[in-house]
Amino acid sequence: MAQSRKLLIIANRLPINRAGHSSQGGWEISPGGLVTALSPILKEHGGAWIGWPGTAGTHLRPFTFDRIGIIPIRLTQKEVRSYYEGFSNETIWPLFHDAIRPPKFVSEWWQPYTDVNWRFARAAAKQARPGQLVWVHDYHLQLVPRMLRELRPDIRIGFFLHIPFPPEELFAWLPWRRELLQGMLGADVIGFQTTADVRDFSRAARMFTSAAGGDTLLRYRGRRIRVGAFPISIDFDEFESIAKRGRVIHRALDIRRRVGSTRRILLSVDRLDYTKGLDARMIAFEQLLSRRLATVDDCLLMQVAVPSRESVDEYAEIRGHIERTVGRINGEYSVPGRIAVHYFRRNLNREELVAHYLAADVMLVTPLRDGMNLVAKEYIATRTTNSGVLVLSEFAGAAHELTQALLVNPRDTDGMVRAFDTALHLPLVETRKRISRLRSQVRQHDVFHWANSFIEALMQ
Ligand code: ADQ
């Protein structure tokens, strides 16, 4: 079985956060798909997690938390700026998301990115037992597989990219394109969210390195590298069971009652990020109202947005922009007791999140570009009564699997308006048919399926 060998996970962040507000306090497991998927495997069969605790300058010794070995990596304030905010989030993130914002190519960020990748690789080399499985995650650590192979040729190395891999024409912009590819090619298995990412990566690898072969099997420096699509998912059963709790159902009814029980709720839940398409979605909703296809008596848009990466300029800017747009739409269309856009800038706990999913008639997941998008899958898992409609961007990795959603191009405002209108009027039989097919898709392909299939590939 996939879990029979110990696993070493390497990711930018550790799977734990400081509990409460006190920095003196203990730790708690951080919520999130990756942690949910991997912690049972780590707990049962042993293993460890290498990552940054999340605050600059913190020096911590390795320790065990909830049966998981925790190996903290220290980053200085300067490295947080250059490796994390700079190269990872101002160069790679925008470049790999269709350059929705212009990526910044800053030479001074490259060396710290390399240095920090070496630090992670050395920590892993020190930790790994002979023949151990090591699984490296995401765009912050793309050089680690090659470094680790150099230090420890005896171990099996997997790499998974959570964000899209860009088409060759865009990837070619990167001054360090060859180094990045060589870094990833140090792995035995390279995983992506979709087959389109697999194709784009393998093309770039053939173009800029000596790698040869087909899209799913590359030969490179005498080794064979498997490249595959492993679409990440959610803990379906957990979301479904929360959705069946009495107090969650009660809270969902309460949310509906507060906004007006006869009004239909179009819901969106995102990190406040320019890739998530909040702006385009609000403009389409505004058009729905201005063309009188719907009124504030019929429906409302509820946008729950959690701020992220606020020290990066583009993120502070997008927040200001979204808040002005909400103000404009509400100024024009809201009437007493009938607010057009309900905007909540906050993080919801699990039960609150599920109560919002339950309250929603239509879920709008319309990113301009997204590796996968777990919100779409979470919404589906909570629809235990087979009600609700999912409107999903073609540019989310999830669209490759969730073909029964109403698929939209978020840059096509007219198409978005039509999709919102269709979603609000979809016949019940059609709604049920679509949601039930979506539910069996996500149920069968949950996060455990994802982790096991990657680990199995790594063991071969
Ligand atoms: P993200 O870009 O963070 O992840 P996503 O997959 O949507 O995007 O995951 C966000 C998570 O945060 C979801 O579990 C969601 O419930 C939660 N969340 C968002 N807003 C919230 C709020 N206001 N309150 C509470 N919870 C909130 C990256 C890639 C994605 C990929 C994942 C996993 O960008 O494309 O799906 O990694 O690989």
Side-chain angles (χ1 to χ4, degrees), residues 182-320:
Q182 288 170 337
M184 293 166 81
L185 288 166
D188 298 291
V189 177
I190 308 177
F192 295 93
Q193 302 278 24
T194 70
T195 51
D197 300 319
V198 168
R199 185 198 59 211
D200 288 335
F201 169 79
S202 293
R203 245 186 222 169
R206 286 188 298 259
M207 174 72 95
F208 300 114
T209 74
S210 60
D215 286 353
T216 56
L217 192 63
L218 292 171
R219 289 184 311 281
Y220 178 69
R221 298 190 178 168
R223 294 186 299 114
R224 286 152 67 87
I225 300 161
R226 167 142 184 230
V227 186
F230 300 88
I232 200 168
S233 193
I234 56 155
D235 184 346
F236 184 94
D237 293 341
E238 194 211 353
F239 275 92
E240 188 180 62
S241 82
I242 298 175
K244 288 179 177 165
R245 285 180 198 160
R247 61 172 181 270
V248 176
I249 296 170
H250 193 263
R251 171 66 179 140
L253 290 170
D254 178 52
I255 294 168
R256 294 195 64 94
R257 192 174 43 75
R258 283 165 184 266
V259 297
S261 296
T262 56
R263 298 172 82 198
R264 314 261 244 118
I265 301 177
L266 298 112
L267 175 70
S268 281
V269 176
D270 311 88
R271 259 189 323 102
L272 203 39
D273 192 301
Y274 52 80
T275 60
K276 302 289 182 185
L278 283 85
D279 186 31
R281 184 187 306 146
M282 284 186 185
I283 287 170
F285 181 69
E286 185 177 31
Q287 289 287 316
L288 187 81
L289 297 177
S290 77
R291 296 180 198 177
R292 299 186 192 288
L293 292 166
T295 71
V296 289
D297 285 323
D298 309 327
C299 68
L300 61 110
L301 174 64
M302 189 177 281
Q303 172 70 64
V304 186
V306 60
S308 72
R309 305 176 195 167
E310 288 207 302
S311 47
V312 174
D313 290 350
E314 283 76 10
Y315 286 77
E317 201 182 289
I318 172 96
R319 175 172 155 189

Side-chain angles (χ1 to χ4, degrees), residues 8 33 95 112-113 128 180 184-186 190 192 213 243 266 285 300 344 362-363 377 379 382 388 450 458-459:
L8 184 57
L95 181 68
Y113 182 80
L180 224 60
M184 293 166 81
L185 288 166
I190 308 177
F192 295 93
L266 298 112
F285 181 69
L300 61 110
F344 306 131
V362 178
M363 188 76 208
K377 294 185 175 183
Y379 176 72
T382 64
W450 168 77
L458 191 55
M459 286 175 74

Side-chain angles (χ1 to χ4, degrees), residues 109-129:
W109 292 344
W110 174 247
Q111 194 55 47
Y113 182 80
T114 311
D115 294 345
V116 172
N117 273 244
W118 269 118
R119 197 170 306 151
F120 276 84
R122 284 199 194 95
K126 199 168 141 202
Q127 189 68 25
R129 304 208 172 100

Side-chain angles (χ1 to χ4, degrees), residues 24 45 47 76 130 140 156 188 209-210 212 297 327 387 414 444 460:
Q24 303 302 309
H45 299 277
T76 64
H140 318 87
R156 293 283 293 169
D188 298 291
T209 74
S210 60
D297 285 323
S387 61
D414 292 343
Q444 282 165 32
Q460 280 164 18

Side-chain angles (χ1 to χ4, degrees), residues 80 100 143 222 230 287 300 358 404 440-441 448:
V80 172
I100 294 167
L143 305 177
F230 300 88
Q287 289 287 316
L300 61 110
L358 278 185
Q404 291 293 314
S440 31
Q441 166 68 28
F448 303 105

Side-chain angles (χ1 to χ4, degrees), residues 93 162-163 193 232 269-271 276 304-306 346-348 353 357 370-375 378:
W93 178 269
H162 290 255
I163 64 174
Q193 302 278 24
I232 200 168
V269 176
D270 311 88
R271 259 189 323 102
K276 302 289 182 185
V304 186
V306 60
R346 71 200 58 159
N347 202 39
L348 303 177
L353 178 69
Y357 287 148
D370 218 331
M372 176 54 60
N373 196 296
L374 296 178
V375 169
E378 292 168 0

